[in-house]
C-alpha cells in the first residue's frame, strides 16, 4: 500500500509528527523501531515538558503523545527500518523483511546516547544514571555528581552541573583532553570541579536499591581501584545518530547526523527530518516535539503542492 507519509521513529518527534499528519488526514504509518517511545522511555520524572506542573514520568508522557496520534488515526508498526531507497519516488523502506512505500518520509529516528556498558549502568538509567545534564541536573541539588568524558560536552555538562552539585568529579580515561582549550580552562578554573584523569569507572551501584550510591573507579596507570560515593552519574561520551539505513541516500554530516536544508527539509525532496537525528545542540523532548510538528507541516504542504 502506498502511504502519503511514513514516519520513522516513535519518540517525541515521530509521535508529534504523527498527531499533526493524522489530523491533516494523511493516515500516517509510524515505524516504532527498536526503542518504542524513544529515549524518554528510558527515564523517570520529566519536569521540563510544558503543561505538567508536577512533572510526568517519561514513558507516560511519550505514551500519551502516541495515544493522541492514534486517536486521530495514526497507525503504528512494530519493526525497524533496515534499508531504504530514496533515489526515486515513491520512497521505499524495508521494515524487517517487508517493503513499504510512501510519497513522503519523516525521519525521526533520534540519536542514542553512548553508554559505558558497565554491568549495572542500564539498570540505573533514570535512577541516578543519566546522559543529559539539562534534563536531570536539577535533581542533584547539594549532591555529589560525577561526569564521565573528555570532550567539550563533558566539560560543558560538568560546568553546568556545578550550579546544582556540592561537588562535581570529572572522570577521564586519559590525561590529555579532546575538549577545546577554552572549555577545559573553564573546568580547570571551576573550584567545584575535581578532575580524575587516567581513571575509568568499573561499575556503578546500587541496583538492588534502584538508586545510584557509589561507583568503583580504577586508575589505568597504576591499576589501583577504589570506591567513591556518588548521587548523580552523568555519562557524556557522545551520541550515535540512528541513520545507518540512510547512509548514501541523504546528506549526513561526518558524525552521521542528518543535515538540515532549511527547517525540516533534507537533501532529498519529500524526505523530512525531526528531532535528535538532526539536532546535536538542544536534544530535548520539547524541541524534538516542535521539530516533529515542523516536519509534519512541511510534509503536508509538499503533498498539497503535488496534488495529493
Ligand atoms: C536518560 C534520559 C533522560 C532524559 N530526560 C529528559 C528530560 O527530562 N526532559 C527532556 O526534555 N528531554 C530529556 N531527554 C532527552 C529526550 O529524551 C530526547 O531529546 C528526545 O527523546 C528526542 O526525541 P526524538 O523523537 O528525536 O528521538 P528518540 O526519543 O531517540 O526516538 C527515536 C525513535 O526512533 C526509533 N528508531 C531508531 N532507529 C530506527 C530505525 N532504523 N527504524 C525505525 N525506528 C527507528 C527508535 O525506536 C525511537 O522510537 C532525556 C534523554 C535521556 C536518554
Amino acid at each position: 500500500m502506498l502511504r502519503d507519509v511514513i514516519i520513522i521513529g516513535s519518540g517525541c518527534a515521530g509521535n508529534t509528527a504523527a498527531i499533526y499528519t493524522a489530523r491533516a488526514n494523511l493516515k500516517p504509518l509510524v515505524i516504532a523501531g527498536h526503542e518504542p517511545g524513544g529515549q524518554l522511555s528510558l527515564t523517570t520524572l520529566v519536569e521540563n515538558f510544558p503543561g505538567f506542573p508536577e512533572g510526568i514520568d517519561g514513558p507516560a508522557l511519550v505514551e500519551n503523545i502516541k495515544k493522541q496520534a492514534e486517536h486521530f488515526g495514526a497507525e503504528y508498526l512494530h519493526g525497524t527500518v533496515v534499508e531504504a531507497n530514496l533515489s526515486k519516488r515513491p520512497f521505499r523502506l524495508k521494515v524487517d523483511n517487508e517493503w513499504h512505500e510512501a510519497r513522503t518520509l519523516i525521519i525521526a529516528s533520534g540519536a542514542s546516547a553512548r553508554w559505558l556498558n558497565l554491568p549495572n549502568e542500564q539498570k540505573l538509567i533514570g535512577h541516578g544514571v543519566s546522559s543529559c545534564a539539562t534534563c536531570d541536573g536539577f535533581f542533584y541539588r547539594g549532591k555529589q555528581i560525577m561526569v564521565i568524558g573528555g570532550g567539550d560536552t563533558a566539560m560543558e555538562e560538568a560546568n553546568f552541573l556545578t550550579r546544582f552539585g556540592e561537588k562535581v568529579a570529572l572522570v577521564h580515561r586519559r590525561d590529555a583532553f579532546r575538549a577545546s582549550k577554552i572549555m577545559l580552562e573553564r573546568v580547570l578554573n571551576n573550584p567545584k570541579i575535581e578532575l580524575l584523569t587516567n581513571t575509568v569507572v568499573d561499575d556503578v551501584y546500587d541496583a538492588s536499591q534502584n538508586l545510584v550510591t557509589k561507583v568503583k573507579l580504577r586508575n589505568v596507570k597504576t591499576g589501583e581501584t577504589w570506591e567513591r560515593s556518588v548521587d548523580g552519574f552523568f555519562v557524556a561520551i557522545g551520541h550515535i545518530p540512528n541513520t545507518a539505513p540512510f547512509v548514501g541516500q541523504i546528506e549526513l554530516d561526518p558524525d552521521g547526523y542528518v543535515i538540515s536544508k532549511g527547517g525540516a527539509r533534507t537533501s532529498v525532496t519529500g524526505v523530512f527530518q525531526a528531532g535528535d537525528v538532526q539536532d546535536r545542540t538542544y536534544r530535548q523532548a520539547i524541541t524534538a516535539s516542535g521539530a516533529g510538528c515542523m516536519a509534519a507541516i512541511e510534509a503536508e504542504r509538499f503533498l498539497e503542492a503535488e496534488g495529493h
Side-chain angles (χ1 to χ4, degrees), residues 174-247:
R174 290 193 287 268
D175 51 11
F177 287 85
R178 236 178 333 106
S180 57
K181 198 164 165 260
I182 182 164
M183 295 299 286
L184 181 59
E185 266 167 16
R186 270 185 216 157
V187 161
L188 295 173
N189 292 331
N190 190 325
K192 282 176 103 180
I193 300 179
E194 177 189 355
L195 270 183
L196 296 170
T197 52
N198 294 317
T199 302
V200 293
V201 185
D202 278 345
D203 207 357
V204 53
Y205 308 97
D206 181 5
S208 68
Q209 289 185 56
N210 217 11
L211 190 72
V212 169
T213 56
K214 64 181 179 182
V215 292
K216 185 174 171 193
L217 298 166
R218 176 164 48 88
N219 184 302
V220 289
K221 290 235 158 118
T222 64
E224 180 202 356
T225 60
W226 72 102
E227 289 186 346
R228 181 174 172 131
S229 295
V230 169
D231 305 296
F233 183 78
F234 289 81
V235 180
I237 56 171
H239 286 76
I240 310 166
N242 300 314
T243 50
F246 311 111
V247 172

Side-chain angles (χ1 to χ4, degrees), residues 7-15 31-49 79-82 108-113 115 125-126 129-132 134-136 139 239 242-243 245-246 274-277 282-289:
I7 298 166
I8 302 148
S10 57
C12 302
N15 286 340
I31 317 291
H34 59 281
E35 195 173 85
Q39 292 177 73
L40 274 195
S41 63
L42 297 176
T43 192
T44 46
L45 191 61
V46 174
E47 291 191 325
N48 53 11
F49 199 92
T80 299
V81 174
V82 290
S109 48
S112 306
W115 299 103
I125 292 174
V129 171
S130 177
S131 60
C132 177
T134 307
C135 312
D136 295 331
F139 297 124
H239 286 76
N242 300 314
T243 50
F246 311 111
D276 286 13
V277 74
Y282 304 108
R283 304 181 206 283
Q284 292 294 290
I286 186 68
T287 50
S289 276

Side-chain angles (χ1 to χ4, degrees), residues 42-305:
L42 297 176
T43 192
T44 46
L45 191 61
V46 174
E47 291 191 325
N48 53 11
F49 199 92
F52 300 94
E54 311 297 328
I56 179 168
D57 267 342
L61 172 58
V62 78
E63 181 62 22
N64 281 347
I65 308 177
K66 178 187 173 202
K67 278 192 194 143
Q68 199 172 338
E70 283 177 324
H71 174 72
F72 294 111
E75 282 176 53
Y76 282 74
L77 179 67
H78 285 284
T80 299
V81 174
V82 290
E83 203 181 323
N85 184 346
L86 313 184
S87 61
K88 58 180 194 301
R89 284 188 262 154
F91 304 116
R92 299 188 80 226
L93 294 177
K94 193 176 180 191
V95 180
D96 299 328
N97 291 315
E98 211 177 45
W99 285 94
H100 293 256
E101 291 187 338
R103 294 189 175 98
T104 63
L105 294 181
I106 296 176
I107 301 176
S109 48
S112 306
R114 279 182 208 274
W115 299 103
L116 297 166
N117 296 322
L118 308 173
N120 285 302
E121 188 182 40
Q122 294 291 310
K123 294 176 201 152
L124 289 167
I125 292 174
H127 301 275
V129 171
S130 177
S131 60
C132 177
T134 307
C135 312
D136 295 331
F138 192 77
F139 297 124
Y140 300 100
R141 278 161 292 166
K143 301 273 172 97
Q144 296 295 323
I145 296 177
M146 183 167 279
V147 176
I148 317 300
D152 275 349
T153 306
M155 304 301 130
E156 194 177 313
E157 302 229 326
N159 263 316
F160 175 73
L161 288 164
T162 58
R163 292 170 187 236
F164 310 102
E166 191 193 332
K167 183 130 206 151
V168 175
L170 178 60
V171 174
H172 182 44
R173 61 191 163 155
R174 290 193 287 268
D175 51 11
F177 287 85
R178 236 178 333 106
S180 57
K181 198 164 165 260
I182 182 164
M183 295 299 286
L184 181 59
E185 266 167 16
R186 270 185 216 157
V187 161
L188 295 173
N189 292 331
N190 190 325
K192 282 176 103 180
I193 300 179
E194 177 189 355
L195 270 183
L196 296 170
T197 52
N198 294 317
T199 302
V200 293
V201 185
D202 278 345
D203 207 357
V204 53
Y205 308 97
D206 181 5
S208 68
Q209 289 185 56
N210 217 11
L211 190 72
V212 169
T213 56
K214 64 181 179 182
V215 292
K216 185 174 171 193
L217 298 166
R218 176 164 48 88
N219 184 302
V220 289
K221 290 235 158 118
T222 64
E224 180 202 356
T225 60
W226 72 102
E227 289 186 346
R228 181 174 172 131
S229 295
V230 169
D231 305 296
F233 183 78
F234 289 81
V235 180
I237 56 171
H239 286 76
I240 310 166
N242 300 314
T243 50
F246 311 111
V247 172
Q249 307 268 340
I250 58 170
E251 268 185 51
L252 305 174
D253 76 9
D255 293 326
Y257 286 90
V258 176
I259 295 177
S260 164
K261 295 289 176 178
R265 288 186 289 279
T266 70
S267 60
V268 177
T269 306
V271 177
F272 304 95
Q273 50 74 24
D276 286 13
V277 74
Q278 181 270 327
D279 173 13
R280 48 163 86 235
T281 309
Y282 304 108
R283 304 181 206 283
Q284 292 294 290
I286 186 68
T287 50
S289 276
C293 157
M294 289 163 62
I297 291 175
E298 294 269 8
E300 181 210 324
R301 289 183 184 163
F302 173 83
L303 287 164
E304 178 76 30

